[in-house]
Amino acid sequence: TWSESAARYTGSFLYATNRSMARLVSGPTVLDCYGAWRMETAFKGLPVVAIGKTAFSTSKISASDIIVPPLVTNIDDYAFQNVSGVFRIFLPEELKRIGDGAFDSCSSLVAVQIPASVIDIGRYPFAGCVALTSISVDRANYWFCSIQDLMS
């Protein structure tokens, strides 16, 4: 279980931890040298394995891409809801779950690639993504597939 009440800041990022992992609860917009937005991969030596509920909801991210850290296995409900200005989101190969409305109303989002590892996608993860033209699912994904860039 996550210790939300004991969540701690490091820099501008807020983390909740259990004994072996960390969950990113909220954070600022940080650009890398290529103009992509990246999140921290560890907190106090613990790997960041989840992005918490509403962690970046309504953020004004001034990057065209979001790169989710490689060890993240869970993107909680509404984690990126209403984020504007992002065209692509790069999901890690380890990702298992995308929560309800995780990317709801990301008005600039045009393309998403679902990795083979994803086994659970919540309700309406891309609702209100009016610019979204492509949802591709890795061919090795057992649970989901895409046909002409539409997911089923």
Side-chain angles (χ1 to χ4, degrees):
T1 115
W2 297 101
S3 178
E4 297 284 342
S5 62
R8 298 287 181 260
Y9 277 97
T10 180
S12 299
F13 290 91
L14 179 63
Y15 294 89
T17 61
N18 65 19
R19 293 178 192 255
S20 61
M21 299 173 282
R23 176 196 296 171
L24 183 57
V25 178
S26 68
T29 58
V30 178
L31 299 179
D32 70 7
C33 61
Y34 300 104
W37 187 67
R38 295 178 187 263
M39 292 163 254
E40 298 291 328
T41 59
F43 171 69
K44 294 187 177 186
L46 301 175
V48 174
V49 297
I51 298 173
K53 185 175 182 178
T54 69
F56 298 100
S57 183
T58 69
S59 292
K60 302 287 188 244
I61 297 173
S62 59
S64 59
D65 299 334
I66 290 177
I67 300 170
V68 178
L71 296 178
V72 168
T73 59
N74 191 42
I75 297 175
D76 287 345
D77 299 347
Y78 309 103
F80 293 96
Q81 180 184 39
N82 262 340
V83 170
S84 60
V86 174
F87 297 103
R88 293 175 299 187
I89 297 174
F90 293 93
L91 301 173
E93 289 301 320
E94 294 80 2
L95 187 65
K96 301 278 186 237
R97 180 178 184 275
I98 298 171
D100 293 348
F103 303 99
D104 177 42
S105 299
C106 292
S107 58
S108 302
L109 185 62
V110 295
V112 175
Q113 170 73 36
I114 307 293
S117 56
V118 173
I119 60 173
D120 182 32
I121 298 176
R123 295 176 303 158
Y124 313 114
F126 304 106
C129 295
V130 295
L132 189 61
T133 58
S134 173
I135 301 175
S136 302
V137 179
D138 188 297
R139 289 180 185 255
N141 189 303
Y142 179 80
W143 303 101
F144 302 98
C145 68
S146 56
I147 301 169
Q148 297 179 341
D149 288 333
L150 297 175
M151 187 176 69
S152 63

